[in-house]
Amino acid sequence: MDERYVPEAVEAKWQKKWDEDGVFKVNMDPGKEKYYLLEMFPYPSGNIHMGHVRNYSIGDVVARYKKMRGFNVLHPMGWDAFGMPAENAAIANKSHPAKWTYANIDTMRQQLKRLGFSYDWDREIATCTPDYYRWEQWLFIKMFERGMAYRKESFVNWCEPCQTVLANEQVENDCCWRCGNNVRQKKLHQWFFRITDYAEDLLVHCDQLPGWPEKVTTMQKNWIGKSIGSEACFAVENSDKIISVFTTRPDTIFGATFMCLAPEHPLVEELSKGRLEEAAVKAFVEKISMQDRSSKAIESYEKEGVFLGVYCINPLTSARIPVYTANFALMEYGTGAVMSVPAHDQRDFDFAKKYDLPVIVVVKPMDSDLDGATMTCAYADSGVMVNSGQFDGLDNREAMLKITDYLQSKNLGRRTVSFRLRDWGISRQRYWGAPIPMIHCDSCGAVPVKVEDLPIVLPEDADLLASGGSPLNHLDYFKRATCPSCGNPDARRDTDTMDTFVESSWYYARYCCPDYDKGMLDPEAVKYWMPVDQYIGGVEHAILHLLYSRYFTRVMKDVGVLEIKEPFKRLLTQGMVNKATIKCSEHGFIFPTDVVDTDQGPTCGLCGLPVEIGRVIKMSKSKKNVVDPNELLDRYGADTTRLFCLFAAPPEKGLDWSDEGVDGSFRFLSRVWRLIKANESALEASKPYDGSIDSLEGKTRELFAKTHFTIKKVTGDIEDDFHFNTAISAVMELVNVMHTLSYEDMDEVRDRVFRLSVESMVLLLSPFVPHFAEEVWAMLGHTKSILCEAWPVHSEDALVQNDMVIVIQVNGKLRGKFTIAADSDDETIKQRALEDELVKKFIEDKPIRKVIVVKKKLVNIVI
RNA sequence: GCCGAAGUGGUGGAAUUGGUAGACACGCUAGACUUAGGAUCUAGUACCGUGAGGUGUGGAGGUUCAAGUCCUCUCUUCGGUACCA
């Protein structure tokens, strides 16, 4: 056998063996405790990138570790296969999205297999197969029947020249990314899921997910955004119309000096009609409809609006206040109307200054006065009520309740709750998605397809470039349908497809029973396997995907196919893998390796132009900065690649990718390899030491203690917070100790302790570098796969220390240290510290004010 | 804008959660050795200073015997922002 470590042969050999022995296949086993480990499935974009390698390496460590701990581990993999990039690629390559997608899946599956992950490939799912999405269509019908899915009008980004709907990502500075023309908002009938019905439940349970990172539940809570407040009615002057507003500050209604309606608010057109202002209002609404409608864009525009020409009446002061339409009022939040109180809201204040509207103070600080005319910013804190009639003098928080009660008694308002969360719009005017199983009939309205007619299979021959919205809309044979309710032969099939987030909202449950054909989920299988014990994926999914999945689990429970309502018991959010790039005016983002240092500073290696300092950006296909792991795999093999990914940083941290240091991981494995090769005969001849630490001394004792310490450290790092980087460095330290020992003459006891250390070390390493570990395990004479071995257990006795090192500080600064028996009392330690020569030098003749002794750590002398 | 994070040597990171800042690696420097390899081994490596010593965890304050860790303010970067997945 080769004396050097050559990964290629080793890895191929073990992958083949695992495959032949079917070691990763799992079945329900009621006698065994289950562990469901899931990593977020990838979108088949073409190639695995380092983000995937990192994510799946993390998961594989946990899966293999849990298996060694005796759990029945479910560890599946699949493909989030519907989506926009497939359509874009198909258009660019004049190909078909399915062809592109399946080819990518094949490539990526090969790459994952090459990395040696412990997946049960028999459970592989691709969401674009009718066997998968038929159950999604089935669920849609159940949801429709229960009123959980409904249709309403809402807006999409529309590019007139391209005659197509654009995703937010495809809109750049209000313009189409292809043709550059201005995008406008177009109103369409679309399907929505009533996620807001579950807002309260989703919110409450955020506090009952102890296995989730707090930052994620915090983000979800803020996203759901529950506000307790009041609804108040403002009558429109000379009209029977009422403008209803939601406010969290009913205490400030006396200070409301104008009203703002969202540009889409139905009253905007109605109230301005036939007035002098009509044209200006129309122009404003038109202008807004040409802007990006994403909330990030809306919030970044400068606040502006126009007067509608009408006034409404403040229900408390009876004052006439002007009605505006403004770009910061959102139709989706509250009632789409904002009562503006410039004295106590900064946004309203800015708007009032811009349009010269009055500022009336109604809440003032305890100890000072405010003047609306001279204020420079809004006062949003609590205080005492003023200018508020009978409520003057009250604490404003008390006034909130009293004013709401007063409005309610006059029938002008009520207490209410508002959520920031909006219903989930799932209609997409795209081809590559699951068809919505609905039929539109002139006499019956929207009617679901009969369940026995499912799946509604996505036709293969749609024209992706056909103008006018959904590609399926142009397929006459697909579109034509008979009404399932009345038999009308002229009904029309819904030609939109579902948001791809729908597929990823329930795939985790389907892995329990991927081939089940009697229903969406096999009740027995989901009862055994669900919930997912550990879910692992990128932080970028902290809100949407994870919230939708929590929602869908509740829906599946209410529909009766699941018994639980939280899908993921523990969650690990992995930091993103980014790539530092450098911007060249000619070549866009380039890699640092393409930069050449010259006397004039850094220049682009491709064109010689000077380049901007590097910036870290998210890896994405569109930015062409994806790091391809193939090169690493060719050069170092799977184990080194995996080891380095895990060693480079703790999983939750973002990682700015750099290959620097991969050599170190390879060298470490080679070092372990050599260690075993160099001591082959000693290892062969001995059994692992099974005695206690008491009969050991010197270096042997040290190694024994270090081994047990390492077992404890690695186990803790995996169990507690997945800090694999420190787990690996602990094993490296152990190997360093073994190396110094292995150069010495060995006796029988040493050989046995050495063998114990080597075996423990290989077992600890096996989840990280499984091929390497299998090979070494076999070299040590074992015939069973290392996966079937038990995880090592440390002994506390081995960790007891006789001595301890105490640090001496003078005024908090390190001045010396000494070693003393571990059972010394505080007084002994203190005296020993004060006698220290170095310390005496620092104390000189200054009086000692205080001496602090910290158990087993340090003495601080304050002078 | 809003919500959530993160800032520690030349680099990735560590620090028993308020108690020795820089573990483990990468890189670099010097040396040794050899069957010249993807070598390996030994020593050194935060900064300033010849030295005693001093300074150091994005920045500015504060609490404490003691702060990378706690508090206040601030800067920068990253993620999400509902049709990218």
Side-chain angles (χ1 to χ4, degrees):
Chain A
M1 192 186 284
D2 200 329
E3 287 302 304
R4 282 190 302 124
Y5 164 53
V6 182
E8 254 178 301
V10 171
E11 292 180 357
K13 170 178 144 193
W14 287 102
Q15 282 167 18
K16 187 159 168 263
K17 184 155 171 50
W18 292 331
D19 195 36
E20 282 167 4
D21 297 352
V23 286
F24 306 128
K25 302 204 183 311
V26 274
N27 289 303
M28 277 189 271
D29 179 354
K32 223 169 156 190
E33 198 177 343
K34 68 97 182 180
Y35 191 86
Y36 184 0
L37 178 94
L38 183 65
E39 300 120 43
M40 290 179 187
F41 64 168
Y43 176 77
S45 56
N47 277 291
I48 296 288
H49 59 65
M50 287 317 296
H52 295 124
V53 176
R54 190 182 189 202
N55 191 182
Y56 305 143
S57 296
I58 293 166
D60 207 46
V61 171
V62 181
R64 288 172 181 270
Y65 167 77
K66 287 289 175 184
K67 200 171 159 76
M68 290 174 83
R69 278 259 132 134
F71 288 90
N72 191 24
V73 177
L74 173 58
H75 189 206
M77 181 43 73
W79 313 97
D80 189 12
F82 276 137
M84 247 184 359
E87 286 189 41
N88 293 334
I91 292 168
N93 309 330
K94 298 197 168 47
S95 171
H96 193 276
K99 201 178 153 196
W100 184 84
T101 302
Y102 284 115
N104 287 349
I105 288 176
D106 286 342
T107 310
M108 291 169 78
R109 187 192 301 108
Q110 274 321 110
Q111 289 180 304
L112 292 182
K113 287 196 168 173
R114 199 177 163 195
L115 278 152
F117 297 130
S118 61
Y119 301 124
D120 178 356
W121 284 105
D122 286 358
R123 292 173 185 263
E124 182 179 354
I125 283 173
T127 58
C128 61
T129 56
D131 282 347
Y132 182 81
Y133 65 71
R134 82 179 272 199
W135 299 111
E136 189 168 306
Q137 293 172 332
W138 177 84
L139 187 69
F140 182 99
I141 292 169
K142 294 290 145 199
M143 291 173 76
F144 174 78
E145 288 167 356
R146 282 157 205 255
M148 297 160 116
Y150 67 100
R151 218 154 86 108
K152 73 172 177 188
E153 276 198 314
S154 74
F155 292 93
V156 293
N157 299 309
W158 178 255
C159 176
E160 194 63 38
C162 299
Q163 284 285 300
T164 185
V165 176
L166 298 177
N168 287 344
E169 197 192 42
Q170 300 173 313
V171 179
E172 291 168 352
N173 302 321
D174 301 339
C175 295
C176 172
W177 71 344
R178 284 236 164 75
C179 69
N181 282 289
N182 216 304
V183 170
R184 58 169 39 256
Q185 299 305 308
K186 186 177 177 178
K187 220 176 205 182
L188 291 179
H189 278 283
Q190 307 200 69
W191 289 100
F192 284 79
F193 286 155
R194 250 184 249 281
I195 188 173
T196 51
D197 279 357
Y198 291 79
E200 185 74 44
D201 193 56
L202 288 165
L203 181 72
V204 168
H205 282 83
C206 279
D207 291 326
Q208 291 162 43
L209 292 167
W212 283 44
E214 205 180 281
K215 63 171 174 180
V216 175
T217 49
T218 304
M219 279 191 267
Q220 293 215 348
K221 282 192 267 188
N222 291 336
W223 182 259
I224 295 167
K226 179 179 181 176
S227 305
I228 296 167
S230 310
E231 210 169 292
C233 299
F234 288 62
V236 177
E237 191 183 48
N238 303 324
S239 153
D240 57 353
K241 300 290 176 204
I242 300 279
I243 300 173
S244 164
V245 301
F246 171 78
T247 176
T248 55
R249 291 294 303 273
D251 54 316
T252 63
I253 296 178
F254 280 90
T257 55
F258 58 99
M259 172 71 67
C260 289
L261 303 181
E264 307 92 346
H265 198 291
L267 284 176
V268 169
E269 198 189 336
E270 212 176 318
L271 294 179
S272 61
K273 203 162 206 146
R275 294 179 190 277
L276 281 175
E277 291 81 358
E278 185 178 357
V281 170
K282 265 207 165 131
F284 180 76
V285 173
E286 173 70 12
K287 179 183 161 189
I288 298 297
S289 79
M290 305 282 278
Q291 290 180 340
D292 189 339
R293 70 202 184 89
S294 70
S295 55
K296 119 180 95 177
I298 288 171
E299 295 294 332
S300 62
Y301 291 130
E302 201 195 331
K303 315 292 170 254
E304 57 176 349
V306 290
F307 179 44
L308 296 186
V310 290
Y311 292 83
C312 64
I313 306 299
N314 184 317
L316 294 181
T317 62
S318 301
R320 292 171 80 224
I321 66 173
V323 181
Y324 280 73
T325 175
N327 62 349
F328 64 83
L330 303 177
M331 196 58 217
E332 292 91 353
Y333 184 73
T335 60
V338 181
M339 116 194 157
S340 294
V341 186
H344 305 294
D345 181 283
Q346 191 57 41
R347 212 173 39 182
D348 297 347
F349 184 86
D350 296 341
F351 195 87
K353 287 290 158 204
K354 183 167 178 173
Y355 295 101
D356 203 19
L357 293 157
V359 178
I360 297 175
V361 173
V362 292
V363 178
K364 72 170 199 68
M366 285 296 182
D367 46 8
S368 61
D369 285 318
L370 287 175
D371 180 2
T374 57
M375 286 168 85
T376 53
C377 66
Y379 178 73
D381 293 341
S382 54
V384 187
M385 302 293 293
V386 290
N387 292 327
S388 302
Q390 72 262 43
F391 303 101
D392 278 359
L394 286 178
D395 181 287
N396 75 307
R397 282 158 294 191
E398 201 183 329
M400 286 187 190
L401 301 172
K402 294 224 158 130
I403 288 178
T404 308
D405 289 346
Y406 176 80
L407 286 173
Q408 187 144 8
S409 72
K410 300 278 175 192
N411 220 8
L412 289 168
R414 61 191 179 93
R415 286 186 201 190
T416 180
V417 168
S418 191
F419 291 94
R420 215 186 70 95
L421 181 70
R422 309 198 298 252
D423 275 341
W424 176 12
I426 58 120
S427 294
R428 295 291 180 272
Q429 296 68 43
R430 302 240 160 70
Y431 166 71
W432 193 232
I436 294 173
M438 296 295 292
I439 289 168
H440 302 282
C441 168
D442 287 336
S443 35
C444 308
V447 184
V449 165
K450 284 186 182 146
V451 167
E452 55 268 31
D453 291 341
L454 294 178
I456 302 302
V457 177
L458 183 67
E460 286 177 19
D461 54 349
D463 178 5
L464 297 182
L465 288 170
S467 53
S470 303
L472 295 178
N473 197 33
H474 301 279
L475 288 181
D476 211 44
Y477 76 89
F478 177 78
K479 197 177 170 185
R480 202 178 308 131
T482 303
C483 173
S485 172
C486 70
N488 167 16
D490 294 326
R492 301 163 314 279
R493 197 178 289 287
D494 200 302
T495 55
D496 285 352
T497 51
M498 286 192 246
D499 179 5
T500 55
F501 271 121
V502 179
E503 283 92 59
S504 56
S505 294
W506 69 282
Y507 77 109
Y508 47 87
R510 186 68 183 174
Y511 277 136
C512 302
C513 47
D515 302 318
Y516 190 66
D517 61 0
K518 295 181 189 67
M520 186 176 189
L521 300 171
D522 175 356
E524 251 183 87
V526 290
K527 192 166 184 170
Y528 178 75
W529 291 113
M530 287 296 288
V532 173
D533 292 278
Q534 179 70 54
Y535 195 35
I536 306 174
V539 254
E540 68 273 20
H541 297 292
I543 296 175
L544 293 180
H545 163 61
L546 288 167
L547 190 63
Y548 289 149
S549 296
R550 293 182 62 215
Y551 162 61
F552 246 50
T553 307
R554 285 162 168 76
V555 170
M556 289 190 280
K557 178 174 189 280
D558 290 352
V559 164
V561 294
L562 258 188
E563 289 180 16
I564 53 162
K565 68 179 184 184
E566 286 294 346
F568 313 123
K569 199 167 165 189
R570 294 230 292 166
L571 172 70
L572 172 63
T573 47
Q574 183 205 204
M576 310 234 342
V577 178
N578 293 308
K579 173 81 189 176
T581 54
I582 290 165
K583 199 166 181 187
C584 163
S585 51
E586 185 73 21
H587 293 93
F589 291 104
I590 61 170
F591 289 131
T593 46
D594 289 329
V595 173
V596 182
D597 272 316
T598 66
D599 300 342
Q600 283 80 43
T603 57
C604 173
L606 307 170
C607 63
L609 289 169
V611 290
E612 280 176 36
I613 310 295
R615 210 170 79 81
V616 173
I617 53 169
K618 180 179 170 179
M619 278 201 202
S620 74
K621 282 217 105 185
S622 60
K623 288 176 189 128
K624 299 195 179 10
N625 68 332
V626 174
V627 177
D628 185 351
N630 277 339
E631 243 174 80
L632 282 180
L633 289 174
D634 289 345
R635 196 162 160 180
Y636 298 100
D639 284 334
T640 299
T641 305
R642 294 168 53 139
L643 186 69
F644 178 67
C645 266
L646 298 169
F647 181 58
E652 74 280 1
K653 257 199 88 156
L655 190 58
D656 297 341
W657 181 256
S658 150
D659 292 355
E660 261 178 59
V662 190
D663 274 322
S665 292
F666 183 78
R667 273 208 289 265
F668 169 66
L669 294 180
S670 305
R671 195 167 148 86
V672 174
W673 185 272
R674 278 200 313 275
L675 178 74
I676 290 159
K677 284 282 176 192
N679 295 281
E680 222 165 1
S681 52
L683 287 165
E684 249 165 45
S686 50
K687 283 203 180 98
Y689 180 76
D690 53 5
S692 84
I693 191 168
D694 299 335
S695 43
L696 300 175
E697 51 192 26
K699 288 211 160 180
T700 314
R701 187 187 175 101
E702 212 176 280
L703 177 63
F704 184 82
K706 185 75 181 173
T707 302
H708 281 273
F709 173 82
T710 308
I711 294 169
K712 185 179 179 177
K713 170 79 180 153
V714 173
T715 309
D717 280 347
I718 295 177
E719 286 281 350
D720 299 342
D721 47 12
F722 308 109
H723 278 191
F724 307 124
N725 56 332
T726 49
I728 294 165
S729 66
V731 180
M732 286 175 169
E733 285 186 51
L734 174 64
V735 171
N736 288 345
V737 172
M738 281 194 269
H739 251 282
T740 58
L741 193 71
S742 76
Y743 298 133
E744 297 178 8
D745 291 333
M746 307 283 271
D747 57 35
E748 197 204 318
V749 178
R750 276 202 179 191
D751 282 353
R752 292 195 60 190
V753 171
F754 189 73
R755 169 129 193 157
L756 170 82
S757 297
V758 168
E759 290 207 347
S760 306
M761 181 263 293
V762 176
L763 288 166
L764 294 178
L765 232 31
S766 69
F768 302 89
V769 287
H771 317 82
F772 177 88
E774 289 276 26
E775 185 69 23
V776 171
W777 197 243
M779 272 157 57
L780 289 169
H782 296 282
T783 48
K784 240 176 24 170
S785 164
I786 198 165
L787 258 178
C788 306
E789 300 289 345
W791 189 254
V793 180
H794 78 277
S795 134
E796 279 297 330
D797 293 344
L799 303 179
V800 177
Q801 303 251 313
N802 295 331
D803 298 326
M804 58 185 177
V805 176
I806 299 291
V807 166
I808 317 168
Q809 294 181 333
V810 178
N811 282 352
K813 288 205 162 87
L814 175 69
R815 296 302 183 193
K817 50 182 93 172
F818 61 89
T819 305
I820 197 165
D823 54 1
S824 313
D825 60 29
D826 285 3
E827 192 55 32
T828 316
I829 292 169
K830 181 174 157 182
Q831 287 313 319
R832 170 68 186 76
L834 289 170
E835 283 159 17
D836 195 278
E837 286 307 317
L838 255 164
V839 170
K840 275 185 180 161
K841 204 180 91 192
F842 280 97
I843 299 173
E844 292 174 333
D845 51 356
K846 294 173 198 120
I848 292 170
R849 276 179 37 215
K850 208 177 191 187
V851 178
I852 292 152
V853 180
V854 180
K855 282 227 171 330
K856 295 186 177 172
K857 280 205 182 93
L858 60 73
V859 180
N860 188 13
I861 301 159
V862 188
I863 55 172

